[in-house]
Amino acid sequence: MSLLDAVRWGGVIPDITAPQATKKRYSEVLSKALAEELAEALRSIGFRGVRPSRGGPGDKEFQGGLGPMRVDISFSDERHGLLLAISVKTICFRPYGKNLKNRFGDLCTEAITLHMRFPYSVVCAIFAMPGEAHLDATALRRMSTFQRASMLLGTITGRADHASAGERFEDVMMLLFQPLRRAGDESWIRLYAADRSGELRELTEDEYIRRVRDIYNARNPHAQIGTDALLEE
């Protein structure tokens, strides 16, 4: 897995003055690339059949408690239905805080919709913002938009068991990335667990994927991933 490759697949980020359709297309391409890279990483540690796959099946729709819901990354089977879901969200252009509450509301709705129908499912999210979103703190507002986003999303992470609040996610991860400003530019990515305290605790990509697997295994002791008791196909 390489989320850095996903950023590169996204291509050169459009200028802020570019048409809205051009900026929307960039965000969609980046989200799709992130989903494909994460799914590939999950398959590599035992989540066989997880979607999407590059050049193969894409995202999948599930009938949730509030209606149909397309899931960016999904692991499911005919016996259990949805077992693992990861929602990919991005805010790629200034002003970074403008759509933050809307994205927050979208995520809450997704979690509720999926948990109502599949209360035992592990529903996670990854929220991506450019590095610039962590450089906009001011003397009056001492916290960057990225930190504020981490605090806000930290209020809906950490769903501990199937009976906990449905609008919470089992895990929310923040992704800070340096987009390509021109062809040949260097880019980077950093991962942080969403935290309502505002503390930014960095994880490696491998640590993040193991974190998702560990949360899944804790919820599914009868069907462990990465052990001899692999989920039956």
Side-chain angles (χ1 to χ4, degrees):
M1 175 191 75
S2 173
L3 294 176
L4 184 55
D5 285 344
V7 172
R8 291 168 178 158
W9 272 103
V12 175
I13 190 170
D15 187 78
I16 190 63
T17 60
Q20 184 61 32
T22 301
K23 293 186 287 187
K24 182 175 183 288
R25 176 60 180 163
Y26 172 83
S27 298
E28 291 171 346
V29 170
L30 176 62
S31 295
K32 182 174 183 292
L34 289 171
E36 289 175 349
E37 290 297 326
L38 286 172
E40 178 62 31
L42 290 168
R43 284 191 294 271
S44 74
I45 62 169
F47 287 90
R48 294 174 294 182
V50 68
R51 296 173 63 164
S53 59
R54 193 176 294 112
D59 57 3
K60 186 174 181 178
E61 185 173 88
F62 293 86
Q63 182 61 43
L66 299 177
M69 174 67 65
R70 297 208 71 83
V71 177
D72 296 314
I73 302 167
S74 62
F75 179 60
S76 62
D77 66 14
E78 293 183 1
R79 180 188 301 175
H80 305 91
L82 180 66
L83 291 160
L84 171 67
I86 303 179
S87 177
V88 179
K89 289 286 185 287
T90 66
I91 294 180
C92 296
F93 300 95
R94 301 192 307 269
Y96 298 110
K98 179 180 179 181
N99 291 317
L100 185 55
K101 288 187 177 179
N102 288 339
R103 294 288 192 280
F104 178 81
D106 291 343
L107 284 169
C108 289
T109 300
E110 288 183 29
I112 291 171
T113 298
L114 295 176
H115 280 140
M116 283 179 68
R117 181 61 64 95
F118 307 102
Y120 284 88
S121 64
V122 172
V123 182
C124 304
I126 185 164
F127 197 99
M129 303 179 80
E132 194 176 62
H134 195 32
L135 300 174
D136 61 356
T138 65
L140 293 177
R141 192 183 64 197
R142 298 184 179 182
M143 188 172 292
S144 72
T145 303
F146 183 76
Q147 286 176 290
R148 290 193 295 115
S150 179
M151 290 182 66
L152 180 62
L153 296 173
T155 65
I156 55 170
T157 191
R159 184 173 183 263
D161 57 54
H162 72 280
S164 297
E167 69 271 17
R168 295 178 70 90
F169 286 79
E170 274 66 19
D171 184 71
V172 178
M173 190 62 52
M174 306 295 297
L175 171 64
L176 197 66
F177 71 96
Q178 179 58 46
L180 301 176
R181 297 295 177 182
R182 60 183 64 85
D185 274 359
E186 291 294 322
S187 54
W188 47 259
I189 65 99
R190 292 171 187 157
L191 286 165
Y192 303 93
D195 192 322
R196 66 191 306 164
S197 73
E199 179 183 0
L200 294 178
R201 297 176 289 111
E202 189 170 358
L203 286 79
T204 67
E205 294 183 41
D206 286 343
E207 287 172 336
Y208 170 54
I209 290 300
R210 289 198 298 270
R211 177 188 179 99
V212 172
R213 182 193 61 192
D214 291 347
I215 294 171
Y216 175 88
N217 283 344
R219 184 66 53 81
N220 297 277
H222 60 288
Q224 301 280 287
I225 295 293
T227 71
D228 292 333
L230 290 174
L231 188 69
E232 296 179 9
E233 291 186 297

